[in-house]
Amino acid sequence: MRKMLAAVFSGMVQKPALRGLLSSLKFSNDITCDIKKCDLYRLEEGPPTSTVLTRDEALKYYRTMQVIRRMELKADQMYKQKFIRGFCHLCDGQEACCVGLEAGINPTDHIITSYRAHGLCYTRGLSVKSILAELTGRKGGCAKGKGGSMHMYCKNFYGGNGIVGAQVPLGAGVAFACKYLKNGQICLALYGDGAANQGQVFETYNMSALWKLPCIFICENNRYAMGTATDRAAASTDYHKKGFVIPGLRVNGMDILSVREATKFAANHCRSGKGPILMELQTYRYHGHSMSDPGVSYRTREEVQSVRSKSDPIMLLRERMINNNLSNVDELKEIDADVKKEVEEAAQFAATDPEPALEEIADYLYHKNPPFEVRGAHKWLKYTSRS
Ligand SMILES: *[C@@H]1O[C@H](CO)[C@@H](O)[C@H](O)[C@H]1NC(C)=O
Ligand SMILES: *[C@@H]1O[C@H](CO)[C@@H](O)[C@H](O)[C@H]1NC(C)=O
């Protein structure tokens, strides 16, 4: 039917117009979805248990999650080929978290996260090309090849932080700035289930609650702190309750709609001046903690396989879309092929773009031009520093 119409109309109607006409015939514009009720802590009411998903949103979320999945698999491959060196932490399996968070806030809001940052770098607006080129340390990387996997930044995104948990107090600082400037913006501070037991995180909860900072603390619980299962590392695994006086939500982090709705709810809470709120996103990482961890010595292959087959975030959205006529197999295949092409081209760029010149080693370290010796880097003094 589609082919026939395309043949009839070719030359008369432009392809996008034809596509729009055809899709309006066979696809729903939006659907209402049920989502799992969140566990609540110190809250009378929580996020809704049903929400509307439009076809446009669904297509966008699907594509974004697929890009992140493919980008991470490509990074794994390029690491094994030694194009990427040093630290590298992949987030495949956790795509519904970054995509759902972004869908629940404004681009003008702020995000800071741990070293497992590639997905958020993409949802915050960096291209796959600039991310992969950063991983390979090339000039075209988003941090000009000087940051690598753990140190990528863009507008309203403060990294990518290497020190476990240290981004949480920094995030409270960003939220403090929002409150001080009265700009109506909020900050999302993300950390893992491992960092959730750290002292500095609790100190930050205290200050933020005391000062009613517009901060959403987000614990991405992927079940393992490096190689230690949560219940072996934490006396309480109720991560959404750890803020003591701070209200909390426990969210299905494998369902993008659950994450989106919980984030909208939490963002409203912060913007209305009620102070911080905590969210635990229950998720899973398919890769090991980092590239030196094959990820199979502390969990079984069966466990990983079972998550993949029962609660993979991309699969769940895909099923929802197909079962409800928001899309069909052919259309999603087209998106997959398009995504594959984008990631391949980005990888090609990341493998061939030149490395930054040695003369530029001191450039862009500071916002304003201070003398280079402030860092005590004496042997590099022959190089100048430019902002
Ligand atoms: C809570 O935060 C305030 C403000 O920084 C500080 O004065 C107080 O000592 C903190 N309390 C604890 C127990 O750390
Ligand atoms: C999807 O479309 C098919 C064919 O047009 C129709 O039979 C089916 O009832 C639709 N399903 C939903 C959930 O709308």
Side-chain angles (χ1 to χ4, degrees):
M1 156 90 166
R2 185 174 172 155
K3 270 196 188 130
M4 235 171 65
L5 274 179
V8 171
F9 286 136
S10 68
M12 289 171 11
V13 189
Q14 282 183 346
K15 215 177 161 205
L18 179 63
R19 196 172 281 179
L21 175 72
L22 282 170
S23 59
S24 65
L25 295 176
K26 78 180 162 194
F27 296 127
S28 321
N29 277 329
D30 54 58
I31 56 165
T32 301
C33 305
D34 289 334
I35 48 180
K36 186 173 168 263
K37 190 176 185 303
C38 295
D39 294 338
L40 306 182
Y41 175 67
R42 283 180 172 255
L43 287 166
E44 309 248 302
E45 257 181 279
T49 51
S50 89
T51 183
V52 173
L53 174 65
T54 68
R55 174 172 146 78
D56 288 348
E57 287 168 348
L59 290 171
K60 184 172 137 201
Y61 301 158
Y62 178 81
R63 190 181 198 286
T64 311
M65 290 205 283
Q66 279 293 39
V67 168
I68 296 168
R69 174 73 53 92
R70 283 227 160 247
M71 179 173 77
E72 294 298 64
L73 296 179
K74 184 53 79 179
D76 176 69
Q77 194 185 37
M78 294 182 86
Y79 199 95
K80 287 171 181 151
Q81 293 168 336
K82 297 194 163 42
F83 278 112
I84 301 171
R85 310 223 177 203
F87 288 111
C88 184
H89 308 83
L90 304 177
C91 72
D92 48 321
Q94 305 187 191
E95 294 89 348
C97 299
C98 49
V99 182
L101 290 170
E102 194 67 56
I105 58 168
N106 304 321
T108 44
D109 291 323
H110 307 264
I111 301 186
I112 188 165
T113 188
S114 71
Y115 39 75
R116 201 177 303 285
H118 306 170
L120 277 168
C121 288
Y122 182 71
T123 61
R124 282 270 95 179
L126 291 170
S127 65
V128 181
K129 218 170 130 175
S130 73
I131 295 172
L132 288 182
E134 190 54 45
L135 299 187
T136 55
R138 307 305 170 105
K139 269 174 91 137
C142 55
K144 302 189 192 294
K146 298 176 173 198
S149 171
M150 301 202 287
H151 305 289
M152 297 193 269
Y153 313 90
C154 65
K155 194 159 197 294
N156 300 330
F157 180 65
Y158 308 83
N161 287 264
I163 301 171
V164 176
Q167 72 279 9
V168 181
L170 296 180
V174 174
F176 184 92
C178 295
K179 182 168 174 148
Y180 184 79
L181 297 170
K182 297 192 175 69
N183 58 18
Q185 297 164 3
I186 61 173
C187 182
L188 277 54
L190 283 87
Y191 49 95
D193 46 278
N197 301 310
Q198 280 208 351
Q200 61 182 335
V201 173
F202 290 90
E203 291 179 45
T204 307
Y205 290 157
N206 168 55
M207 277 185 232
S208 313
L210 191 64
W211 297 336
K212 288 200 163 26
L213 301 184
C215 192
I216 312 182
F217 295 106
I218 299 158
C219 175
E220 276 184 293
N221 174 6
N222 62 20
R223 300 202 218 163
Y224 298 95
M226 297 186 78
T228 309
T230 46
D231 59 351
R232 294 178 62 217
S236 161
T237 55
D238 288 336
Y239 295 100
H240 64 306
K241 297 183 183 171
K242 289 200 172 207
F244 183 45
V245 295
I246 302 177
L249 298 168
R250 174 177 268 163
V251 184
N252 176 6
M254 299 303 261
D255 175 6
I256 171 147
L257 294 181
S258 299
V259 178
R260 182 186 75 178
E261 292 310 306
T263 307
K264 283 183 182 170
F265 176 89
N268 276 338
H269 177 98
C270 286
R271 275 191 242 279
S272 68
K274 291 183 195 156
I277 186 165
L278 219 156
M279 297 205 294
E280 171 189 348
L281 307 181
Q282 294 192 308
T283 184
Y284 200 77
R285 68 167 147 73
Y286 294 148
H287 265 91
H289 166 77
S290 66
M291 301 312 289
S292 58
D293 166 24
V296 288
S297 55
Y298 48 87
R299 58 184 187 180
T300 61
R301 285 177 202 277
E302 289 71 35
E303 178 185 295
V304 183
Q305 200 43 48
S306 152
V307 176
R308 275 189 192 278
S309 61
K310 293 198 194 100
S311 45
D312 181 82
I314 300 179
M315 181 195 79
L316 292 180
L317 178 65
R318 185 188 167 83
E319 281 176 0
R320 217 169 217 163
M321 290 169 78
I322 292 175
N323 296 343
N324 295 288
N325 285 349
L326 281 180
S327 183
N328 63 19
V329 174
D330 288 344
E331 188 180 41
L332 296 183
K333 260 195 199 146
E334 249 177 64
I335 296 178
D336 293 349
D338 194 50
V339 166
K340 189 171 174 198
K341 189 160 161 276
E342 180 180 342
V343 174
E344 282 304 328
E345 283 170 7
Q348 196 60 37
F349 174 77
T352 51
D353 192 43
E355 292 180 355
L358 186 58
E359 294 68 45
E360 292 166 22
I361 192 169
D363 290 354
Y364 319 119
L365 290 176
Y366 301 98
H367 182 54
K368 298 242 167 70
N369 280 320
F372 192 32
E373 64 265 35
V374 291
R375 280 248 169 131
H378 305 302
K379 66 176 181 161
W380 301 105
L381 273 182
K382 59 183 169 165
Y383 299 113
T384 54
S385 167
R386 290 180 297 144
S387 296

